[in-house]
Amino acid sequence: TNMITLASATECDENPDEPPQSCQDFFNCKNASLGEQELAQQFEDMGLGDVGFAQGTSQALYHGLFLYSRGSTPSNFTIFAFYEEDPLQMDNISKRALMLTSVATRGQGDTLEDIKKSVKQTVKVPTTFDGLKNQIGFYDGALSIFFGEDSVPRQKLREFIKKMTKNKHTFKANIVIDKLFPAKVMYAIDIRYQRWLGECKRAQDRNEVDDSIIDLKEIINDISNSRFFVDLPPSFSSTSDPADNDGVVDKGSRKRGADESEK
């Protein structure tokens, strides 16, 4: 739990004793299916009940997998994994829980790798400014659940949201020009948070973590100065339009092994 504990600090030189209670409540669930219900309920309690996330996402997080599974391809604790669900397509949470319980029961003699191969993760790309803002807001909620309401990573993202809202006309103009602009903004945020979490994982003390990595003012400045550039990974090139397939990209089932848990 070292990575999560250090990421939960509210100041750069603070060394928390433990993760926030909301995070503990998730990991204290008896199995992944109950963890999924707990996660959904916590989003609901925050007024984010319309958030969607794949079964594979909650299961990966339950097993402590927060960093990307493969190179630069978003997975696990990624900003793309928490999206606004279409009410007409929302799964019944109890049915999802039953499915996961069945998987866990059926795989009692299997390794963690075998169990995780049974589900996929899904990332979703918004195509409008409002969709972009909403999806970043869902990630903000996830940061609050796992690292705490006043944690450094949440403080940094909320600053970005304020600046993004203030510069919404610039963002909207870029979306008109570049249909992948929302994906590029989210990926720019995501890779910074992944790098920062990696530092939290490796650090022995909180002062070893460089919080400037998640200072997102650079993104805003680059967009405002027309010099923003992000090279998206190949997974985003699988469709010519992010609106195709509702902007959804299914990730492969290859994940880290049990000995690579980042908690």
Side-chain angles (χ1 to χ4, degrees):
T1 61
N2 184 65
M3 180 188 72
I4 296 176
T5 301
L6 292 184
S8 301
T10 58
E11 300 289 343
C12 62
D13 57 353
E14 176 192 6
N15 280 289
D17 295 325
E18 58 185 10
Q21 188 60 50
S22 53
C23 179
Q24 295 183 52
D25 290 343
F26 173 76
F27 285 114
N28 286 339
C29 292
K30 292 183 179 180
N31 53 48
S33 62
L34 294 178
E36 181 184 20
Q37 292 183 78
E38 174 65 28
L39 185 58
Q41 186 59 56
Q42 289 201 40
F43 272 114
E44 179 74 32
D45 293 342
M46 297 173 66
L48 300 174
D50 52 345
V51 66
F53 53 86
Q55 298 159 359
T57 295
S58 58
Q59 189 171 13
L61 297 177
Y62 181 77
H63 291 295
L65 303 175
F66 279 66
L67 302 183
Y68 288 175
S69 295
R70 287 182 291 173
S72 60
T73 301
S75 62
N76 302 328
F77 192 71
T78 170
I79 194 170
F80 295 97
F82 304 98
Y83 47 83
E84 184 171 10
E85 186 66 276
D86 183 344
L88 298 178
Q89 298 178 352
M90 289 186 72
D91 292 331
N92 182 287
I93 189 65
S94 62
K95 291 182 180 179
R96 295 170 66 182
L98 284 173
M99 189 282 292
L100 285 175
T101 301
S102 175
V103 170
T105 301
R106 189 174 65 246
Q108 282 180 349
D110 298 335
T111 64
L112 175 61
E113 184 74 14
D114 292 332
I115 293 173
K116 288 188 293 180
K117 284 181 180 179
S118 63
V119 291
K120 289 185 178 182
Q121 294 188 47
T122 299
V123 299
K124 192 165 185 177
V125 180
T127 57
T128 65
F129 175 79
D130 289 338
L132 173 63
K133 185 177 179 181
N134 287 343
Q135 194 153 340
I136 294 176
F138 291 137
Y139 189 60
D140 174 61
L143 290 173
S144 179
I145 291 170
F146 288 100
F147 307 128
E149 183 177 356
D150 299 317
S151 62
V152 170
R154 192 174 190 231
Q155 293 176 37
K156 297 290 188 180
L157 189 62
R158 291 183 74 81
E159 289 176 8
F160 177 85
I161 293 173
K162 290 179 181 179
K163 287 180 172 23
M164 180 180 71
T165 302
K166 184 177 180 180
N167 292 275
K168 65 180 180 180
H169 295 299
T170 301
F171 275 73
K172 289 181 177 180
N174 276 277
I175 292 173
V176 171
I177 297 171
D178 181 3
K179 57 181 175 291
L180 286 175
F181 181 75
K184 293 175 180 178
V185 172
M186 290 169 62
Y187 189 63
I189 295 171
D190 215 36
I191 56 177
R192 286 166 171 78
Y193 272 79
Q194 283 286 306
R195 180 182 164 199
W196 183 80
L197 286 173
E199 288 216 350
C200 289
K201 178 185 177 182
R202 294 185 295 271
Q204 298 300 313
D205 191 90
R206 185 60 177 79
N207 59 22
E208 298 175 15
V209 180
D210 182 6
D211 289 335
S212 69
I213 294 173
I214 52 174
D215 186 344
L216 305 177
K217 289 184 292 186
E218 175 188 349
I219 297 175
I220 296 291
N221 289 337
D222 285 348
I223 292 172
S224 299
N225 294 324
S226 300
R227 62 186 186 197
F228 178 69
F229 175 80
V230 171
D231 189 12
L232 291 172
S235 56
F236 289 91
S237 301
S238 60
T239 175
S240 60
D241 191 329
D244 293 346
N245 196 32
D246 297 324
V248 175
V249 179
D250 288 325
K251 313 316 296 177
S253 59
R254 181 169 174 262
K255 309 289 187 297
R256 296 175 184 267
D259 60 337
E260 297 183 84
S261 169
E262 285 109 15
K263 284 197 295 181

